[in-house]
Amino acid sequence: MSLPELSNLFIGTIISSNSLEVLNFFPCGLLGVLKSGKIAFCFELILEGLSAEKAHEKKVTVLAELASSYSFNESVVKYLSEHQFLIPGYLDTHIHSPQYVFAGTGYDLPLLGWLEKHTFPRESEFSDLVYAQDAYERVVSRTLRSGTTTACYYATIHLDACKVLAEVVLEIGQRAFLGKINQSETLKYLVLKLVDKYEDIIILSKQEFVEFVIARDKEFKLLEPTRYETSALITPCITPRFAPSCTSKLMTSLGIIAASYNLPIQTHLSESKAEIEWVHNLHPQADPETLEWTYTGVYHSHGLLTDRSVLAHCIHLTSSERRLIKKVGAGISHCPASNFQLQSGVLNVRRLLNEGINVGLGTDMAGGHAPSIVEAMRLALLASKTAFMLFRDGLGGWGEELEGECKEPLTLAEVFYLATLGGAKVLGLDKLLGNFEAGKEFDALVIDLNSTGASIADSPEKNSLPGTFTVDVFPHDDKWSMFEKYIYLGDDRNVKEVYVAGRKVVPLEK
């Protein structure tokens, strides 16, 4: 009987979350990846107190022991340098792929004004497939190179352009949830008498897109059936933009499609107080089950609140809304960049976690300015400290019941969990990926702090001059402080390699 074959065996610093409370930090870890793209093993090698010679002997002994259980040669063994470490790939649980074209602009406006002035006009240009191809190639490449191995994408209302996004994701090698945006009101531009006919077209095109994505995923996986035997690389995601842009008929129809195909759902919820008031005016009916009106209840009463729902923002939820979200098992995408940029508010993530609600991170580009989950981690830490200070100083306006209680800010380890395993839980992928548990798929990043921000072609040696490294490491820095520095100071230039389902996609190997 032949031994299982390894495609990669990493030796060096390995970091991943077991849970919100437990971070596995292995200064010297070993991780093996099978040819199928699944993780064979991941464990720590204790070298503390050993001389360099003894440490080397121990590594040689362990490799010999592994060779009795797995087939591999020296070419697949990758020794990480002292400035490198291996971490799980990031999951961006909320990102608008077409909005990359205007990311970094328009942040003097609050949410609703920003949508009207920037978002809707720019998204309308995706009826041009050449424009869509160029934009989608750029955004998928940029997010992947920033370390996002799984993205939960919103697209636009344009069916053919949405299909372009699906093809681009497959070609470049990312894993993605893909949402064709559904809105029966292209807001003030529709004549009321045309809405019913327009909605019927939306529903038909949504079903066509769902079936297209499912079929293309199956076709692509046939190219490497052993690698992709259990996972989907692209998954259709039911995407009502938000309640103000959808009639009750459309939301009900989308809920039925989601249930019939057992699909994830993504939408926006309680991003701003003005939005909540708008939803109340448009959909004033109480939730038949809870017998009260809430924004969350609007989605619940239309079959759009399930254990596969990904709810972006959720800044201004009431206690009853949080209980309902917890009850159905929906997840929340925390998008601190856009919450700050569009002046929407500060989400108290600590409270959600204390209540047992699943939370991941989203860039919400272009409401958020950066396509990087590392930037989202930094801002999540700042948002949590802001919520903590507001509670500590009695400035939160949360009332006598202390609904906004935040007795301690999030830690770096907790925010790293949100970016990886927490995001996997929100997307329902935690049995498949999100950390380095044996049997999961190898979605991972090799991070290298020995990376420069300059490239001087005529004199490469100058690239190591002071001031050229993206993260400076000093003799006093240990493995943990280097990890901290990467989270607070690093960027896409520190992402040396990216793997999705065991396949190296950055730099791409032909």
Side-chain angles (χ1 to χ4, degrees), residues 46 78 89 265 354 396 418:
I46 306 298
K78 299 187 176 183
I265 300 163
N354 288 346
L418 299 183

Side-chain angles (χ1 to χ4, degrees), residues 124-142:
S124 69
E125 296 181 29
F126 280 75
S127 60
D128 180 341
L129 298 187
V130 174
Y131 182 90
Q133 179 83 27
D134 176 52
Y136 286 147
E137 285 178 353
R138 294 199 207 188
V139 66
V140 174
S141 297
R142 173 54 65 88

